[in-house]
Amino acid sequence: GAVVSQHPSRVICKSGTSVKIECRSLDFQATTMFWYRQFPKQSLMLMATSNEGSKATYEQGVEKDKFLINHASLTLSTLTVTSAHPEDSSFYICSARDASGNTIYFGEGSWLTVV
Amino acid sequence: DAKTTQPPSMDCAEGRAANLPCNHSTISGNEYVYWYRQIHSQGPQYIIHGLKNNETNEMASLIITEDRKSSTLILPHATLRDTAVYYCIVRPHYNQGGKLIFGQGTELSVKP
């Protein structure tokens, strides 16, 4: 199947700093990518949908100025958590939709710990 | 809100078939049924999807009832590595939307 890669897989940052997570589709072009957040023992929560070359669409309750999403190419989307706080510590997962649109593939996830 | 209902947990003996049910009584005519699974601390893995016909691939079989209000994911010979949370999701076809909204899923434990 198609491969979606995230980097870094784990990151620790200090409170108040910003951290960037990359999501790449390795063997297909992804016009649409999705970002999720998952807290322990909970399901995945969709944060935003990002389309290549346009602004991301955020889900209700997600702060767009805090979670900056850029989708500058057909194979790369980035999520930047700005002014991170300990409550932003979570598992962040991206996914990408292939050309057919029928299947969405997920990255391995990125663990963010804010100290 | 998720449009599916799944039992929170199930057990299955290794080597036996695991049958995971899902209710989606409000499914629309343009919505597919998708199944993903998430092994602990990993991203979700695509398993299978279908519209109204039964589907089979190398991982699993998907049985959709004739009225499309429920479906069953079948893992024919469960192994310990199949222990995971399984998510049943209904989603419109690509050109009519396409977000995957996750519910709570079923935590499948495969036991020796």
Side-chain angles (χ1 to χ4, degrees):
Chain A
V3 177
V4 176
S5 178
Q6 283 184 240
H7 177 81
S9 58
R10 291 183 179 273
V11 58
I12 300 173
C13 72
K14 291 184 177 180
S15 187
T17 64
S18 296
V19 61
K20 180 185 290 186
I21 300 170
E22 293 185 346
C23 176
R24 295 181 184 273
S25 56
L26 297 186
D27 52 359
F28 67 99
Q29 292 186 330
T31 54
T32 304
M33 289 184 171
F34 305 88
W35 286 95
Y36 292 81
R37 180 166 59 178
Q38 186 177 33
F39 293 109
K41 303 287 188 182
Q42 295 185 22
S43 187
L44 287 79
M45 185 196 79
L46 180 65
M47 299 174 68
T49 301
S50 116
N51 292 298
E52 186 264 338
S54 63
K55 290 184 179 180
T57 302
Y58 290 81
E59 295 296 306
Q60 190 173 7
V62 178
E63 300 174 61
K64 62 180 181 181
D65 294 330
K66 179 169 182 62
F67 299 100
L68 301 179
I69 292 172
N70 182 275
H71 191 162
S73 78
L74 286 171
T75 59
L76 173 65
S77 177
T78 60
L79 167 69
T80 301
V81 182
T82 63
S83 187
H85 290 283
E87 56 265 32
D88 298 323
S89 298
S90 186
F91 190 47
Y92 291 87
I93 308 167
C94 75
S95 63
R97 185 162 61 198
D98 67 5
S100 73
N102 287 333
T103 304
I104 294 176
Y105 299 96
F106 285 80
E108 319 95 316
S110 298
W111 285 100
L112 169 63
T113 302
V114 184
V115 297
Chain B
D1 290 338
K3 298 166 65 174
T4 63
T5 304
Q6 298 177 251
S9 63
M10 290 182 63
D11 289 341
C12 177
E14 187 178 19
R16 309 282 263 201
N19 298 296
L20 293 94
C22 179
N23 285 325
H24 31 81
S25 58
T26 61
I27 193 169
S28 301
N30 66 341
E31 289 181 319
Y32 285 69
V33 180
Y34 284 78
W35 284 83
Y36 283 79
R37 72 180 183 184
Q38 185 179 27
I39 295 170
H40 182 62
S41 297
Q42 298 182 22
Q45 176 188 22
Y46 166 78
I47 301 173
I48 199 167
H49 75 277
L51 182 61
K52 54 183 177 181
N53 297 321
N54 297 337
E55 302 287 344
T56 295
N57 63 20
E58 64 278 4
M59 289 184 68
S61 295
L62 174 60
I63 309 297
I64 303 174
T65 57
E66 194 169 342
D67 63 8
R68 301 209 323 124
K69 293 185 177 182
S70 65
S71 61
T72 301
L73 179 75
I74 301 173
L75 308 179
H77 305 285
T79 71
L80 298 179
R81 287 176 294 181
D82 292 321
T83 292
V85 179
Y86 287 76
Y87 295 98
C88 167
I89 303 167
V90 295
R91 168 184 170 241
H93 191 273
Y94 166 66
N95 58 6
Q96 295 168 328
K99 296 186 290 189
L100 284 174
I101 304 297
F102 286 78
Q104 295 307 306
T106 295
E107 187 167 8
L108 175 68
S109 296
V110 181
K111 300 181 182 299

